[in-house]
Amino acid sequence: MNRLEQTWRWYGPNDPVSLQDVKQAGATGIVSALHHIPHGEIWPLGDIKERKAIIEAAGLTWSVVESVPVHEAIKTKSENAGLYIENYKQSLRNLAECGIHTVCYNFMPVLDWTRTHLDYGMTDGSKALYFNWFDLAFFDLYVLKRAGAEQDYPQAVLEEALAKSHQYTKADIDKLSENILMGIPSEKGITLEDLTQSIHVYQHIGKDGLRDNLLWFLSQIAETCEQNQIRMTIHPDDPPYPILGLPRIASDKDDFEFIIKGVDQTFNGVCFCTGSLGAGVSNNVLDIFNVVKDRIYFAHLRNVKKDVFGNFYEADHLDGDVDMYHVMKLLTAENQKREKAIPFRPDHGHQMLDDLNKVTNPGYSAIGRLRGLAELRGLELGILGS
């Protein structure tokens, strides 16, 4: 029976979680990126080779790139988008020359991910990432002060946001703003004015325009991908809703059908993220899997627990609203059809035990992910043996 490839996200030499830690966790593949290269610039061949050599010296394999960021000029299809397309294609060629062929990316405008809390307290004393609509609405209405924001929220959320406007201290507001702005990938500090300007740009593009720009991007890189055996895997929106007036185009089954059919070539694939998709109140994660299963080239496995408002925290990997047993059952069945194993990684993990006293990338402390990988590994073995 073919096993899935167990991988681990590693942020590079400055990651507080070392490659030795990764080996002890039992992963064999590394998911990494050249975060020191400014967005839109070509990834130099020498830098790719250097990172690959570091990984291989530790007895591991650089299995997936996560990610080669798509520059905002491409997402907005601005005048200089062509330059960034050419740079992107050269980065893909350089990766392929080094034997790296699976690339994860997202097409979320401005914000790569959004959480309102990075240290949500669990009942066992560990800490999780958390998204709360009331806090987001408060930020949108009373901190960002986006024009027309009140039209995007139900009355109950508006009332709770108003209550928070009388309760929050300056320290609370500063922390919330820092958490939300952390989701903006940038080499420089981002201000509220920068965010407001970016939101304004996307008001004119809208969902249909952003969808068209994604298909344009994929069509522009298609030949390069096919010639170099590159598999592009789009990551779902996180969370899978329009937020702060920004459109979302990779959030539900309809979106993924549109993406796959829009550029119906084998390079155009999906990173199946159970946490991002599972956060959608109306999403059936298993149905979405069956729509995209032939194009799943990478998987993020994590779980979420939602309430009636759609607020969610990241739960233990096997204990949340996502039916991880049946997800793993479908994933392992699909893997049996493949010549090359599908890589997956334990996506995020609770900050727990000794990691509570350490500073790590949000969601990427060692011990919580080690627990998640061990649980997922056991689940896979149980299914394969049944």
Side-chain angles (χ1 to χ4, degrees), residues 28-304:
T28 59
I30 291 296
V31 177
S32 193
L34 302 183
H35 298 289
H36 62 281
I37 305 297
H39 290 187
E41 291 192 10
I42 295 171
W43 284 21
L45 196 58
D47 290 48
I48 298 170
K49 289 181 176 179
E50 179 182 6
R51 176 63 57 84
K52 185 182 180 187
I54 293 171
I55 292 169
E56 292 181 347
L60 299 163
T61 302
W62 191 355
S63 302
V64 180
V65 174
E66 186 178 351
S67 58
V68 181
V70 180
H71 196 276
E72 284 293 309
I74 296 173
K75 295 176 185 177
T76 59
K77 203 175 180 181
S78 60
E79 290 182 6
N80 56 345
L83 167 66
Y84 292 109
I85 288 284
E86 293 305 313
N87 287 356
Y88 204 97
K89 291 193 289 187
Q90 188 57 50
S91 293
L92 295 179
R93 294 187 195 101
N94 290 348
L95 286 165
E97 186 173 334
C98 295
I100 305 166
H101 296 277
T102 303
V103 176
C104 182
Y105 73 104
N106 74 73
F107 219 75
M108 287 178 269
V110 187
L111 294 156
D112 268 10
W113 56 277
T114 304
R115 297 292 186 275
T116 55
H117 299 72
L118 307 182
D119 56 357
Y120 181 72
M122 305 295 289
T123 56
D124 63 4
S126 62
K127 295 180 180 179
L129 303 183
Y130 180 58
F131 177 86
N132 184 284
W133 278 109
F134 306 140
D135 289 311
L136 185 78
F138 164 77
F139 172 82
D140 200 1
L141 290 161
Y142 301 104
V143 181
L144 189 63
K145 299 179 181 178
R146 178 172 63 92
E150 64 279 356
Q151 300 173 20
D152 293 342
Y153 301 98
Q155 186 61 34
V157 174
L158 293 174
E159 291 173 359
E160 185 64 25
L162 177 61
K164 286 181 179 293
S165 71
H166 301 301
Q167 299 166 0
Y168 265 22
T169 65
K170 184 180 184 303
D172 293 331
I173 294 170
D174 289 344
K175 186 63 175 177
L176 176 62
S177 299
E178 178 185 343
N179 291 346
I180 292 173
L181 293 177
M182 190 175 289
I184 301 177
S186 177
E187 296 80 32
K188 65 181 184 69
I190 295 292
T191 67
L192 293 178
E193 290 73 21
D194 295 328
L195 178 57
T196 297
Q197 180 57 38
S198 296
I199 291 171
H200 180 71
V201 170
Y202 281 97
Q203 286 178 339
H204 297 283
I205 294 173
K207 179 171 182 173
D208 289 342
L210 190 60
R211 274 184 159 191
D212 290 342
N213 291 351
L214 170 60
L215 298 189
W216 172 76
F217 165 66
L218 291 171
S219 66
Q220 291 296 304
I221 66 171
E223 184 176 357
T224 299
C225 290
E226 295 284 9
Q227 289 176 347
N228 292 276
Q229 294 80 52
I230 293 288
R231 295 175 292 271
M232 299 294 294
T233 69
I234 189 168
H235 189 284
D237 300 325
D238 186 14
Y241 301 103
I243 58 171
L244 304 179
L246 295 167
R248 300 289 198 168
I249 60 169
S251 293
D252 55 28
K253 184 169 73 170
D254 176 67
D255 287 339
F256 284 97
E257 287 178 330
F258 178 87
I259 293 167
I260 296 297
K261 292 177 181 177
V263 179
D264 196 4
Q265 295 175 248
T266 55
F267 83 91
N268 180 21
V270 173
C271 170
F272 193 73
C273 179
T274 57
S276 295
L277 296 172
V281 173
S282 300
N283 280 347
N284 184 312
V285 174
L286 301 179
D287 282 352
I288 297 173
F289 183 98
N290 286 320
V291 166
V292 301
K293 62 182 180 180
D294 293 340
R295 299 289 182 84
I296 294 175
Y297 303 137
F298 183 34
H300 289 178
L301 301 183
R302 66 177 165 88
N303 221 319
V304 293

